[in-house]
Amino acid sequence: MVKRDLADLAALGGKPAFENPLHVGQPNLGDRERLLSRLNDVLDRRWLTNAGPLVLELEARLAAELGVRHCVVMCNGTVALEIAARALRLRGEVIVPSFTFVATAHALQWQEITPVFCDVAADSHNIDAEQVEELVTPRTTAILGVHVWGHPCDVEALTKVAERRGLSLLFDASHAFGCSWRGRRVGNFGRAEVFSFHATKFFNSAEGGAVATNDDALAARMRLMKNFGFTGYDRVSEIGTNGKMSELSAAVGLTNLESLETFLVSLRANYRDYQRELSDIPGLRLVAPVPDASGAAWNHQYVVLEVDRRETGISRDDLTTVLWAENVRARRYFHPGVHRMEPYRSLYPEAGLRLPRTEALTERVLVLPTGTQVGSAEIDAIAGILRVAIAHGPEIAPKLRSRGLAGS
Ligand code: T4K
């Protein structure tokens, strides 16, 4: 049901718009029969992990898809980040945005590398190359950019800083599978780019990740590291970990890879529906990639709003409460900012002082459901909720409070 009036809102006593929760990250899934047939083959072979044939096939297909020499697949994006940082021999300080998923910083801190938080640009939400340069110290070994929402960073500016200051440049490309920067596929920039293939990502293998690189020696080191450092049956050449992807995940990945175009068509249509439906609602900005950065190749994986409270008359958090009551599980990524989460908050209490744009964004951003399970009917209903809530913006907060529903 499309909401028309304040009394229709579930937070104020109306019936929820959706019977079941509508999530931000419902997995995109490829052909079920193909998947089941691959899983049957895996069981027949009794080869479940350790560089099995499906993992090797996935690596080859991904490298071809991205146009890179190597795509080393791993068990998840976080471990892939850890292994990439370790294989690049990073230590000391690494400059990284705070406006990211916490795993970006954890992968560094876990190895006792200090994440030095850098602010982001207000339009792209990506790391600010100018501030990066100001943060370089004699202890800095690398810049870790994040292509937030699949919108590529300013690769050119970051490359120049890295070259000028003799730093490694790598990217957390967890959101950016299938995206391009100036016509070239993400996966080809810096020393290495790290992908997440988590269930909630545009392309998923249930759990999974990969590091793409054109550096042969780096790829070889990462292959060793993800397999305990083994170079033979009983020979270990250096410290390693277990970063292997299983054949089951590879089966999911290979199957989903065959449906990428279908996913993209659906996500692009959703984005355009949101664009059309939200364009007349004051105070909402639908975030898009900076035009010259990604051109047409963008995976449309996240539908991201900035809520300007002065215009909407309702805060992002109260809007979130209204949506959740309707069973629309919108998410406040990346609230409250990694620098405000532990252990970073205690370790680097001053970090927020140089992050004004990050702090503003973590109070404004709201991510809406999309994916192949979402279509125009759902988007019309979500837009209807937002339209009603914003038309009555200032009236809503006291009503929510009186019902014990504070914006969380
Ligand atoms: N770097 C960046 C920039 C990242 O965004 C991420 C992960 C990483 C590194 C690390 O990569 P991984 O180690 O995860 O491969 C989610 C994802 O779990 C996480 O992968 C992702 N970023 C992050 C942005 O979002 P949560 O805790 O907010 O949401 P989660 O997993 O509960 O999923 C969101 C919603 O999706 C759920 O409420 C329900 C729905 N859902 C989820 C799963 C797993 C489903 O409908 N089906 C499912 O199977 O972190």
Side-chain angles (χ1 to χ4, degrees):
M1 179 187 82
V2 174
K3 307 269 161 163
R4 310 218 173 273
D5 197 29
L6 204 53
D8 292 338
L9 295 181
L12 305 182
K15 188 168 172 284
F18 298 98
E19 208 171 311
N20 297 311
L22 201 60
H23 292 291
V24 161
Q26 267 203 50
N28 302 322
L29 293 177
D31 187 86
R32 189 177 292 228
E33 291 309 316
R34 291 281 293 154
L35 174 60
L36 293 176
S37 140
R38 283 196 166 102
L39 292 174
N40 262 328
D41 290 347
V42 170
L43 299 180
D44 289 345
R45 270 194 297 271
R46 289 183 182 266
W47 193 277
L48 301 187
T49 182
N50 290 16
L54 296 190
V55 163
L56 298 181
E57 185 183 346
L58 182 63
E59 290 198 327
R61 289 237 217 143
L62 287 171
E65 172 75 28
L66 299 173
V68 289
R69 288 176 63 80
H70 306 279
C71 189
V72 184
V73 307
M74 308 211 190
C75 54
N76 60 56
T78 307
V79 167
L81 274 168
E82 287 168 11
I83 289 180
R86 193 145 192 140
L88 283 165
R89 313 284 190 225
L90 304 189
R91 54 194 189 284
E93 296 173 359
V94 171
I95 301 168
V96 66
S98 169
F99 193 70
T100 180
F101 190 60
V102 70
T104 316
H106 277 354
L108 300 170
Q109 188 71 45
W110 190 254
Q111 309 185 65
E112 299 185 352
I113 298 167
T114 302
V116 174
F117 295 115
C118 182
D119 212 355
V120 289
D123 53 353
S124 66
H125 298 183
N126 279 332
I127 193 165
D128 171 2
E130 269 180 40
Q131 198 186 70
V132 166
E133 187 136 33
E134 290 162 18
L135 294 174
V136 175
T137 74
R139 297 191 68 230
T140 311
T141 55
I143 303 164
L144 172 48
V146 181
H147 303 303
V148 174
W149 318 130
H151 306 166
C153 291
D154 187 342
V155 173
E156 188 177 20
L158 292 171
T159 305
K160 281 187 184 153
V161 178
E163 282 172 1
R164 230 180 354 251
R165 310 304 288 256
L167 304 172
S168 290
L169 174 63
L170 72 160
F171 291 99
D172 178 341
S174 291
H175 299 182
F177 189 83
C179 299
S180 294
W181 183 78
R182 295 189 184 164
R184 198 161 174 224
R185 274 287 146 120
V186 167
N188 284 279
F189 302 109
R191 302 277 315 272
E193 301 211 66
V194 180
F195 293 98
S196 163
F197 304 146
H198 181 258
T200 55
K201 296 295 187 285
F202 165 60
F203 162 67
N204 82 83
S205 59
E207 286 279 3
V211 188
T213 182
N214 289 308
D215 179 331
D216 297 348
L218 182 65
R221 212 175 304 136
M222 291 190 294
R223 288 189 198 288
L224 271 184
M225 283 183 168
K226 74 164 184 173
N227 188 29
F228 315 101
F230 272 109
T231 46
Y233 268 109
D234 41 21
R235 207 172 48 237
V236 169
S237 65
E238 63 174 294
I239 187 163
T241 184
N242 184 351
K244 289 168 286 151
M245 178 185 272
S246 78
E247 288 288 278
L248 304 172
S249 275
V252 177
L254 282 166
T255 309
N256 287 342
L257 204 53
E258 289 161 359
S259 293
L260 275 193
E261 196 48 43
T262 322
F263 299 164
L264 189 57
V265 166
S266 165
L267 295 184
R268 200 190 287 129
N270 286 350
Y271 184 82
R272 289 188 180 149
D273 281 349
Y274 272 118
Q275 220 170 11
R276 193 190 56 244
E277 288 297 319
L278 302 178
S279 61
D280 63 336
I281 306 181
L284 297 185
R285 177 174 94 91
L286 188 57
V287 179
V290 176
D292 82 324
S294 62
W298 170 40
N299 61 26
H300 296 75
Q301 165 175 209
Y302 291 103
V303 172
V304 183
L305 285 183
E306 273 187 46
V307 180
D308 183 343
R309 186 186 190 156
R310 285 165 311 181
E311 282 189 64
T312 56
I314 176 170
S315 70
R316 185 275 315 265
D317 290 352
D318 283 341
L319 214 44
T320 309
T321 302
V322 166
L323 288 168
W324 275 58
E326 305 287 354
N327 256 328
V328 178
R329 299 284 166 87
R331 297 295 295 267
R332 302 182 300 174
Y333 293 135
F334 297 102
H335 180 83
V338 176
H339 66 289
R340 286 181 177 270
M341 295 174 172
E342 293 295 356
Y344 312 105
R345 185 191 173 93
S346 300
L347 287 172
Y348 319 113
E350 308 288 305
L353 296 175
R354 59 172 183 270
L355 304 171
R357 291 186 294 270
T358 299
E359 299 228 310
L361 280 180
T362 59
E363 296 302 318
R364 293 164 69 98
V365 166
L366 191 57
V367 179
L368 298 177
T370 187
T372 50
Q373 295 303 99
V374 174
S376 33
E378 287 82 6
I379 293 169
D380 285 358
I382 294 170
I385 298 162
L386 292 169
R387 200 170 285 118
V388 170
I390 289 168
H392 298 274
E395 298 164 59
I396 292 187
K399 289 186 192 292
L400 291 180
R401 304 293 173 274
S402 72
R403 300 175 78 91
L405 292 170
S408 52

